[in-house]
Each structure stands twice: as structure tokens, then as C-alpha cells.
Amino acid sequence: MSRLLLLRRPLSGSPCLLSAGSCRSCSGASPPGLSSSQVRVSPPGLGPGSGSGPPGLSSSQVRSTFLEFFRSRGHQLVPSAPVRPRGDPSLLFVNAGMNQFKPLLLGTAPPRSMLASLRRAANSQKCVRAGGKHNDLQDVGRDLTHLSFFEMLGSWSFGDYFKEEACRMAWTLLTEYYGISADRLYVSYFGGNPESGLPADEETRNIWLEIGVPPARLLPFDMKQNFWEMGPGGPCGPCSEIHYDHLGGRDAAHLVNADCPEVVEVWNLVFMQYNREADLCLQPLPLLSVDTGMGLERLVSVLQGTLSTYNTDLFTPLLEEIHQRSAVPPYRGRTGAADGDRTDMAYRVVADHVRTLSVCVADGVHPGMSGAELVLRRILRRALRFCVEVLRAPQGTLAALVPTVAHTLGDVYPELHREADRIADVINDGEAHFLSSLQRGSRLILRTLNTKNYKDGFFPASVVWSLHRNLGFPLDLVDLMLEERGVQVDQDGLQRLISESQSGGQTGVQSQVLDVLSLAELQRLRVPHTDDSLKYQYSLQRDRYVFPACSAVVLALYDGSSLVSEVGEGQRCFVVLDQTCFYSEQGGQSHDQGYFTRDGLQDVPFPVEAVEQAGGYVVHQVTTAGPLKTGDQVQLHLDQVHRMSLMVNHTATHLLNFSLKTVLGDSVQQRGSHVSAERLRFDFSCKGLLDASQLQQVDRCVNDIISANQIIHSEELPLERARSIGGIRTVDEVYPDPVRVVSVRLTASELLSDSLSDRRVSVELCCGTHLRSTGSIEDLVLVSERQLVRGISRVLALTGDRATRAREDGQVLSQDVDSLSARLSGSAPSSLDSAQRLAKEVGILSDAVDNTPIPQWQRRDLQGRLKALQRSSNTSVRKLEAREAAALAQALLQEWGGGRFWCARCRRTLCRC
């Protein structure tokens, strides 16, 4: 009874983890000062006070029950997308289950992709909310619920079922499959907004009444709570939330959406029925969809009978492992004033942050200096600080927790097992850098304090921000260090710098060449998708590539806000044709260049500035050189030189990928690429920089394939059949079905043969344009390599004539270094002037080696030799300077003899100033 009374007392709330108005699951504050035993509540379905332990459902059973429930109701189970967003600049991290389905909701999904065929879907999505609009990072650890990484259980309908089916399935799953008592549940719905002209969602209210929810437990709320939008524009709609009362046996309606930790939202059902236009008005969507989300950690805490997320089996193994490696008592679940030494807060911070770090690094996000990488660096350093300062754990503790994370999550996310060693390496490397930064930051603070007495003023905000931004120094640590010396930070100035950084660093809304309503209008009018097959229909005839002529009809014109029938001269517009030979930017390859001419205006080119895809339509961005209207006949003129350069560099990218795996092993994974007409860029996983020998081996492997002039095959196969090809390389993209398979030397059909399964060849799923044989590349040179972050390297390469020039420039620079080395190793310079001239030559030559495109292995060799020459020339200069100074001093002594010198400073003779 005493425990129950304690839980019923008024509680002070804190901001939600996710507000219903902006995301899809919320997390209130925890009761201040409660211990682990005090936050245990009765399990679902039981009255208050009955039951003493969690029910038998484990977190993995909760997850699998959800997925199986929807699979059995016709939903396709879709794997979790990585936490790094796929081509969405509006996000730092994937922060909701719907992120990977945005192309479907916006109508931009390629027609042949798996996404386009989805009608019902369900999954458990890895989510990170630690930056941008949804940022819970500073709240993690302060209460018992906030997390930076969590899993979102979601179900979707894309133009299939709508409100009634969604509500009934949600109620059935919660009450019948999970066994949650209906007496513990409350339902909210959208109560309308007269200012926006939106009526109350009475349809949803009536559905819940039919299901059996009592009217007193059916609560209307405003747009902030019950109208969901994915961003400033795009699909949106009213939502209906299901809330759970941890205590039960009472009327808790007044606690719904009141930031009370005893009554929490567990599920949000979003009904996508409007589109928010650029002018902020709402237009009905032609396709009605359902988007639901339920936080796994929240649901598990409900089903395991605890107010604390950290008391569930998702966290208890981690907390126990932390205790074993720290020098503090076991975790007791205290918060607020009761956790005076912040020990339990440290337990929660470290447990949450190591999960976030593990998932992000496994998905290719590494601590860095901007965007998501900067956020992850702060997460790493926050965790390390609590490890070292509060838990008093030895160096290496955070990385040692990675196997426990893999154990708790690796069954559903196997990449955590596969990447465990690399994750630990990244964390250990970050820890070493952080400890070094702490020392440098402490010295900078002391130097600044020594320049001026700040006790009557404020410590400069610019210094604090520089420490935080550049060295990753925690802001509260600066406060503590200054507080010990009686100094305060200029908080107003600091907040101004923080705001400027956030406003400058926020990503914008993803641009869209056709909005969702215009795409729907094209489909309603039955405008056929663009036939872009001509982009592949070129041939090699007598060592010359021949590209087909293309004549097309203008099917649609888009002026940036709506479809129009005609545009005037000089107007920027987007043109949809019935067919095109232009390649649209995708798969890391830049778009084609060229121009249109219009019948009746043959001498006037309409330059094509960009080519993109949207929902099966190829959209050409054009600034018109004359009037253009739908139905006009146009001729497309492809810039063949530009296209050839793209084909050369894309094929060379495949050969480079294959050669890196051949030299370094199959652990190499592609992490990104970009193909332009000038060069190619390739990012890959690698423990460290390649040495000169490895660079030369990769160079030799690629050029052996080029010299052999091997045939390049392209073939379309069903996606599942293509994935079964041994050694095939894929990247994290949504592939069409059927998919294009590009292979060197052997066809895809031959590679599917068992007898050839051991053959190692370059084979990839790829939609790009490629050469017909490797000889057209002529040459490839790696001209740069650097590590983006630990474990990820980036190489730049040149092909053809550019590669030949790079080799020639490398030879010239090598000869220059040989010549300079010979002069420096000969007789010593006879004068200071000649020594300084030689030192200057070394510096000029070093700049040339650093900045001229030459083979990277050669650059490293020349840089090493030049550093040695720089040391030698500097030594010669210093010796000659010392010799001249000594001679000058001797001459002065001889000139003045035994005379006495008068000191202008102290006005005495023979002084010691």
C-alpha cells in the first residue's frame, strides 16, 4: 500500500520523448527520486498492487508477436532501414518508421521498386532522436524513460485499408494478443481546428465507440496533440493515440497528455488524408494511407510491469555489465535529488549511448565534425565523460560493452555481431582523442583565465563554444571548471552562438521536382510513365560508341507549383516527355547533359540543366528559350562526350570496388560513391589507410582488367534471383524488380551456374550506364586517399587522358625531387643565400607534390623524401646562420676592442640586460 500511495502522489513532469503532434510516441518524465523497486507496477490486466514480477513476455517476444500479428493480416514484413537516411537531406538520422516509406507517401517511389508494390507493410525500425527537430539527447539519463536510440514498431496501409481496420487491429493486438486490460486504456482523437477549417474527426470517434471504448475514455485534443505532419509540407492528417495507465483502478482521463509518467501513450495511428502545400493550406490527398508507430521499449515496460524503461530486459544485461566494470554500487534506479552523486544517471547515459553508438557505427555513421557525425561524436564523449568521472570505470570500458549490445539486439539486427570489432575500434579511438582533447581544453581555459580577471565579468562565450564545437568539450564540464574558480560563462552570448549554429546547420526540406498532388494528377489523367530505355540502347561499332536519336512529345509541364499547359520564353520549368535518352541522376551517377530543340524552332536550343526521377516520370529541368506547351514535338540532343566520360568512370568504379576486395579481402564494404564526368569517388570500409604497396596492387589489378579489354554484360533479372549470385555486391538502396545486373567477363546467367560459382569477377546490381568493354577506360590512377573517419576511407581516381597526365606529372615531379636531392646531398651550400634558396625550392616542390594530381602511392613516397630534404636544408640554413652570427660578433669585438658598451635600457655600462 505504501508503494501505491507513493506512486499516486503528484509528480513534476518533463518534456515528452515524442510529442503526438510531431512524432508518434511520447515519453513523460519519471517520478523523482524513485528507486528500481518503487517503479515496479502491477502487470497489464491486473489490478493495482497485484502481482510482484514482470510477466513472461521478453522484449524479443514482444517484437515478434507484433510482426507476426501483422504478417498474418496480409502485411509484408520490411527490414529496418539503416539509421543513416537514404537520400533524404531533411534528416540527420532515421527518426521514425515511416522515413523509408516517404517516397510512397509522396508518390515518388520508382514504379518497379519493391516500395511501389507495397499495400500493407510492418516492421521494427531502428530510430535515433538526437539531433534536428527531435532531440532528446540532453534528457537521456535524467529520467527513467528518455532514449536516444529506440525501436519503432510500425504498420502501414498505402491506399488499402483506412481508419476502421487500423483501429480494430490495434485494439485486438493490445487487448487480446498482449493481454492488456481495456480498463487501463484511453483513446485520444482529433477534436478539430476551426482556424484551419478542419472539423473534429467524428468518424474515428464513432469507430472507437463501436469497438467498445467508453465515451468517458475517448478524449478530443487539438492539432498539437492529434494532428501529425512529417515536416513543413507534405502528407499529413489527424491521428488517434492509445494511452495506458500503469496503475489502473481509477479514472485517469485528466492525466492523458498531461506529462504524467503513470499514463503514457503507447501507440499512435496516423490517418494520412491531407497534403500541406507550400502556402500552408491543406488539400485532400487522392490516396488515403495509415501510418502507425509504437515504441518497443515503451511497450516492453508496460508488458513487464515497470515505469522504467531501464528495468526491462533490453537494459538490465547492460546495467549489470556496467556494474561489473565500474567502481560504484549497483544500479538503483534513482533520479533527481535522490541521485545526488549522479551514479544512476551515469548508468542510464552509458547504457543508452553505447546502444546508439553501436547501431550508428554498424550502419556507417561515425563520429565526426558535422551533421550526424558531429552529433554522434557528442554522444560518444558524453558517454565517456560519465564513464570516467562518475562511474570511475577504466579506459576501454565503453568499447567492452559492445558485445552485450550485440547479444541483446544482434538476433534482429545481425550487423551488430558482424561489425562488433569495428564498433569497438571506433569507440576506443574516440576515447583516446577525447582524453587528449580534455587536456588541451583544460590548458586553453587556464590560459584564458590568466589573461584577465573574469570574476567581475563573464568568461567569453566564443572560447567556450570553440571548446565545445572543435574539441567536443562538454558545456557543463566548462561550467564546473569555471565554477570552481568563481567564474561564470557569458550564457547569453553562448546561447546566441548555439542558436546561430543550429539555424545554420539545419537541413532543409527535401526538394521535389513534382509535388504529390501533381504526381497524383498525372496518374489520374493516365499520363504514361516515361520510357527511358533508350539510355541503355547504344552500341560499340568499330571502336566508336553510337547513341540513338530520340524524338519525344511533351506530356506535362510543371512550373514549380502546379501543372500547366504552356510556359513562356525564359521560364524555368520541369518537362515530362513520353520517352527520353537522358540518364536521370541516381545510383551515385550524375545526370546526362544536352539540350532539346522544338519542331518549328530547330535552331534554338533548350539546355537541359538537370534530370531527375519522380514516381516513374523522368523530369527534365529546362529554362526555355522559347514558348513550350504540352503536345509539342521535341528532339533530344545528348552530350555524347559527357555521357562517355560518365560511362568510363562508372565502369571504372566497379573495377575499383572489385580490386579493393581482391587486394584487401571481402571485409571491404562499399560505403558510398559518386561518378562525375571528371573523376570518380569511392568510399569503403577499411581499418586504416592503404600503404604504398597496397595502392600499387589496386592500381595494377584495375589496369590488368582494362588491358585485357574484358566484355561488360548487362542483364535484367528478378531481384531475388539476382541476389543469389555468388559474390554480388550491393549497397543500401531500394532496387527495382527486375533489377539490372552488370558483370565483367561472365554473364549473370553464367555466374548463376554452380560450376562457375568459384569464379571471382566484378558483378553488381546497378542502374547506371556502362561501357561495352573495359579497354575504353584506357587507364586508371588513384590520385587521393584519406580517412573520412576511423574505419572509412575515401579514394579519388582519374581515368583516360586525365590518368595519363597524372602519371606524366608524377614522373616530372619525381625527376625534380631526384635533382633536388642530388644537389642537397652534394657539397654543402657555400653561403646562407644559396642554402635559403634550396630550402625555398624544397617548399615549392612540396606544395606541387601535395596539390598536383599524381598517383597516390607516388605522392606518399615523394612526400617522405621531401620531408627528409626539408630537415636537411633547414639544418644547413641554421648552421650557416649561426656561423654568420658568430663571425659578426667576432668582428664587433675586434672593432670595439676593450671599449665599454653603454646600455640604452638601463643606462649603465657592462650591464646584464
Side-chain angles (χ1 to χ4, degrees):
M1 179 61 72
S2 61
R3 180 177 67 187
L4 184 59
L5 290 173
L6 182 60
L7 284 173
R8 286 181 182 273
R9 70 183 180 179
L11 304 171
S12 59
S14 69
C16 286
L17 171 60
L18 311 170
S19 68
S22 60
C23 16
R24 294 187 318 198
S25 181
C26 79
S27 168
S30 57
L34 295 186
S35 67
S36 298
S37 60
Q38 290 169 321
V39 296
R40 178 70 62 195
V41 296
S42 54
L46 302 178
S50 59
S52 57
L57 276 183
S58 66
S59 56
S60 61
Q61 290 172 320
V62 173
R63 186 191 296 110
S64 61
T65 297
F66 177 91
L67 296 175
E68 177 56 30
F69 175 86
F70 282 101
R71 189 199 63 76
S72 67
R73 284 156 177 77
H75 292 66
Q76 182 171 334
L77 299 187
V78 178
S80 169
V83 294
R84 179 187 288 278
R86 289 174 173 145
D88 188 347
S90 67
L91 295 172
L92 289 175
F93 300 97
V94 166
N95 60 13
M98 56 72 60
N99 290 160
Q100 68 170 305
F101 301 113
K102 280 176 72 173
L104 255 181
L105 298 172
L106 294 170
T108 59
R112 294 195 307 160
S113 69
M114 179 273 292
L115 273 182
S117 64
L118 281 179
R119 291 297 172 264
R120 300 184 177 202
N123 83 340
S124 181
Q125 172 64 50
K126 297 176 289 187
C127 298
V128 173
R129 289 188 174 168
K133 179 181 177 182
H134 305 306
N135 188 353
D136 299 314
L137 185 56
Q138 294 305 317
D139 292 320
V140 172
R142 300 181 187 278
D143 59 30
L144 302 174
T145 55
H146 276 99
L147 304 171
S148 59
F149 163 75
F150 66 99
E151 293 181 64
M152 184 71 87
L153 302 172
S155 60
W156 292 269
S157 164
F158 304 106
D160 190 355
Y161 60 83
F162 200 44
K163 295 180 179 180
E164 181 168 2
E165 295 88 338
C167 293
R168 290 190 181 278
M169 282 190 284
W171 194 259
T172 298
L173 177 60
L174 291 178
T175 59
E176 297 180 19
Y177 283 72
Y178 287 134
I180 297 176
S181 171
D183 293 338
R184 298 280 191 100
L185 299 178
Y186 297 79
V187 177
S188 65
Y189 68 96
F190 179 53
N193 184 273
E195 294 177 1
S196 302
L198 294 173
D201 189 3
E202 292 295 332
E203 179 186 2
T204 297
R205 182 178 185 275
N206 291 331
I207 290 169
W208 287 118
L209 289 173
E210 291 175 9
I211 289 173
V213 178
R217 290 172 176 262
L218 198 50
L219 312 169
F221 285 92
D222 59 13
M223 288 192 74
K224 180 181 179 182
Q225 299 291 351
N226 278 83
F227 194 90
W228 190 89
E229 302 189 56
M230 71 166 68
C236 55
C239 63
S240 183
E241 303 162 345
I242 303 174
H243 299 256
Y244 174 79
D245 179 13
H246 273 283
L247 298 185
R250 60 176 179 170
D251 180 6
H254 64 289
L255 298 177
V256 171
N257 284 333
D259 286 335
C260 174
E262 300 165 359
V263 180
V264 295
E265 175 201 328
V266 291
W267 207 343
N268 194 357
L269 316 176
V270 180
F271 307 123
M272 296 286 195
Q273 58 188 97
Y274 299 105
N275 187 68
R276 178 75 71 181
E277 298 293 301
D279 60 2
L280 301 183
C281 71
L282 293 170
Q283 295 289 341
L285 281 172
L287 188 70
L288 302 179
S289 299
V290 177
D291 169 22
T292 85
M294 176 162 55
L296 173 68
E297 291 79 3
R298 175 80 57 80
L299 180 60
V300 170
S301 67
V302 165
L303 295 175
Q304 294 185 1
T306 174
L307 288 175
S308 173
T309 302
Y310 295 91
N311 279 358
T312 65
D313 65 348
L314 287 164
F315 283 91
T316 49
L318 267 174
L319 297 174
E320 178 57 31
E321 187 67 23
I322 294 169
H323 170 57
Q324 295 298 324
R325 296 178 178 276
S326 65
V328 295
Y331 177 69
R332 287 171 285 177
R334 300 167 302 163
T335 60
D339 186 29
D341 58 2
R342 299 189 304 161
T343 298
D344 291 338
M345 178 181 177
Y347 268 107
R348 291 188 289 268
V349 167
V350 172
D352 169 81
H353 287 10
V354 75
R355 285 176 17 123
T356 305
L357 287 162
S358 298
V359 167
C360 287
V361 174
D363 281 348
V365 186
H366 291 69
M369 292 300 294
S370 64
E373 288 77 11
L374 177 60
V375 173
L376 199 64
R377 186 177 76 145
R378 291 174 179 167
I379 291 173
L380 171 60
R381 295 189 166 193
R382 188 170 188 252
L384 288 169
R385 183 180 158 225
F386 277 97
C387 255
V388 173
E389 290 187 4
V390 183
L391 297 176
R392 304 196 301 278
Q395 190 169 345
T397 293
L398 196 62
L401 299 175
V402 172
T404 306
V405 176
H407 174 73
T408 56
L409 296 175
D411 288 346
V412 65
Y413 306 120
E415 62 272 15
L416 291 171
H417 285 302
R418 191 169 58 247
E419 301 283 351
D421 290 343
R422 189 169 64 85
I423 296 167
D425 286 343
V426 170
I427 292 175
N428 280 329
D429 188 56
E431 183 170 24
H433 282 293
F434 181 51
L435 295 176
S436 172
S437 296
L438 283 178
Q439 293 176 347
R440 284 187 289 160
S442 298
R443 288 196 297 268
L444 178 58
I445 289 173
L446 290 174
R447 279 202 303 270
T448 307
L449 289 172
N450 289 334
T451 60
K452 179 181 174 182
N453 182 7
Y454 290 102
K455 291 190 177 181
D456 297 326
F458 292 105
F459 192 82
S462 58
V463 176
V464 177
W465 182 243
S466 176
L467 284 168
H468 181 63
R469 179 65 178 78
N470 299 320
L471 294 181
F473 220 75
L475 293 175
D476 53 352
L477 181 57
V478 179
D479 286 335
L480 288 173
M481 293 179 67
L482 294 176
E483 186 180 330
E484 293 171 356
R485 294 166 173 80
V487 177
Q488 291 183 327
V489 175
D490 176 9
Q491 292 294 342
D492 291 341
L494 181 59
Q495 289 305 315
R496 186 169 57 254
L497 291 172
I498 293 173
S499 298
E500 290 172 0
S501 173
Q502 290 174 342
S503 62
Q506 283 179 347
T507 51
V509 180
Q510 186 176 8
S511 63
Q512 194 178 335
V513 291
L514 287 173
D515 64 31
V516 63
L517 292 179
S518 297
L519 283 168
E521 180 67 7
L522 290 177
Q523 293 161 2
R524 187 186 69 79
L525 295 172
R526 299 185 182 279
V527 174
H529 291 145
T530 310
D531 176 7
D532 62 349
S533 59
L534 281 175
K535 67 187 180 186
Y536 296 131
Q537 293 178 19
Y538 49 90
S539 59
L540 181 59
Q541 299 177 14
R542 297 181 181 178
D543 297 328
R544 179 175 175 270
Y545 281 85
V546 178
F547 297 89
C550 181
S551 179
V553 176
V554 177
L555 297 183
L557 295 166
Y558 181 70
D559 65 1
S561 59
S562 61
L563 294 175
V564 294
S565 59
E566 185 174 358
V567 292
E569 181 179 349
Q571 187 172 347
R572 180 174 176 269
C573 65
F574 302 90
V575 184
V576 177
L577 306 172
D578 64 335
Q579 66 171 346
T580 183
C581 58
F582 281 62
Y583 182 87
S584 55
E585 183 150 356
Q586 56 185 315
Q589 179 178 326
S590 297
H591 61 81
D592 281 336
Q593 294 180 358
Y595 61 92
F596 298 166
T597 55
R598 199 198 76 195
D599 281 5
L601 206 62
Q602 298 290 358
D603 296 331
V604 180
F606 289 62
V608 176
E609 298 162 3
V611 189
E612 300 180 54
Q613 281 212 19
Y617 299 101
V618 177
V619 185
H620 307 75
Q621 181 181 318
V622 173
T623 299
T624 58
L628 190 67
K629 62 181 182 296
T630 55
D632 279 350
Q633 190 88 16
V634 295
Q635 285 73 46
L636 279 65
H637 303 269
L638 179 69
D639 184 334
Q640 298 182 12
V641 174
H642 183 267
R643 163 66 82 84
M644 272 299 302
S645 297
L646 290 173
M647 290 161 53
V648 164
N649 286 341
H650 204 153
T651 300
T653 302
H654 283 216
L655 301 188
L656 176 59
N657 190 2
F658 172 75
S659 299
L660 285 166
K661 282 183 174 288
T662 300
V663 173
L664 303 177
D666 288 334
S667 62
V668 170
Q669 297 293 325
Q670 180 176 342
R671 295 297 185 184
S673 68
H674 186 261
V675 175
S676 69
E678 293 75 28
R679 66 181 188 181
L680 64 94
R681 187 193 76 210
F682 192 77
D683 302 340
F684 60 99
S685 58
C686 185
K687 286 189 175 181
L689 290 173
L690 279 65
D691 58 34
S693 173
Q694 290 171 322
L695 287 167
Q696 287 178 293
Q697 288 179 61
V698 172
D699 185 309
R700 193 159 47 245
C701 184
V702 173
N703 283 292
D704 285 348
I705 302 174
I706 293 172
S707 300
N709 198 24
Q710 295 178 356
I711 301 299
I712 298 162
H713 304 276
S714 298
E715 184 177 346
E716 277 199 347
L717 291 176
L719 182 58
E720 285 306 309
R721 182 165 168 77
R723 288 186 187 276
S724 67
I725 296 174
I728 194 162
R729 281 169 286 284
T730 63
V731 292
D732 175 46
E733 286 186 5
V734 177
Y735 289 100
D737 191 6
V739 67
R740 194 171 181 83
V741 180
V742 177
S743 56
V744 177
R745 189 163 60 87
L746 298 175
T747 66
S749 300
E750 289 174 321
L751 290 169
L752 284 165
S753 169
D754 292 339
S755 62
L756 297 175
S757 59
D758 61 338
R759 301 281 185 93
R760 288 183 62 87
V761 299
S762 169
V763 54
E764 301 189 28
L765 304 183
C766 182
C767 62
T769 55
H770 286 272
L771 299 170
R772 298 300 187 212
S773 61
T774 61
S776 299
I777 299 173
E778 296 180 354
D779 192 8
L780 179 140
V781 170
L782 296 177
V783 295
S784 171
E785 188 213 4
R786 65 184 178 92
Q787 278 214 307
L788 297 178
V789 292
R790 183 180 174 91
I792 303 292
S793 285
R794 167 170 290 178
V795 292
L796 301 179
L798 302 177
T799 57
D801 291 341
R802 289 186 175 90
T804 301
R805 284 197 298 272
R807 292 191 190 278
E808 292 171 351
D809 290 343
Q811 287 302 313
V812 171
L813 287 171
S814 180
Q815 291 168 5
D816 290 345
V817 173
D818 288 341
S819 173
L820 187 58
S821 178
R823 281 188 285 154
L824 281 170
S825 61
S827 58
S830 58
S831 68
L832 179 59
D833 285 345
S834 62
Q836 288 175 333
R837 281 197 301 271
L838 285 172
K840 186 176 181 180
E841 283 188 56
V842 174
I844 293 172
L845 195 50
S846 295
D847 287 342
V849 168
D850 290 344
N851 299 306
T852 304
I854 61 174
Q856 181 66 5
W857 65 266
Q858 192 173 34
R859 188 194 316 279
R860 295 231 179 110
D861 174 64
L862 295 179
Q863 285 172 334
R865 294 175 60 190
L866 285 166
K867 284 181 181 177
L869 293 178
Q870 190 75 64
R871 288 193 297 268
S872 175
S873 62
N874 288 343
T875 300
S876 297
V877 168
R878 285 195 300 271
K879 285 181 178 180
L880 288 169
E881 285 176 339
R883 186 184 304 169
E884 286 196 7
L888 180 61
Q890 185 64 33
L892 285 171
L893 285 172
Q894 290 175 353
E895 180 180 349
W896 289 90
R900 303 174 68 83
F901 294 92
W902 177 263
C903 178
R905 180 177 178 187
C906 64
R907 301 184 183 278
R908 294 192 306 175
T909 58
L910 297 177
C911 72
R912 296 181 179 274
C913 286

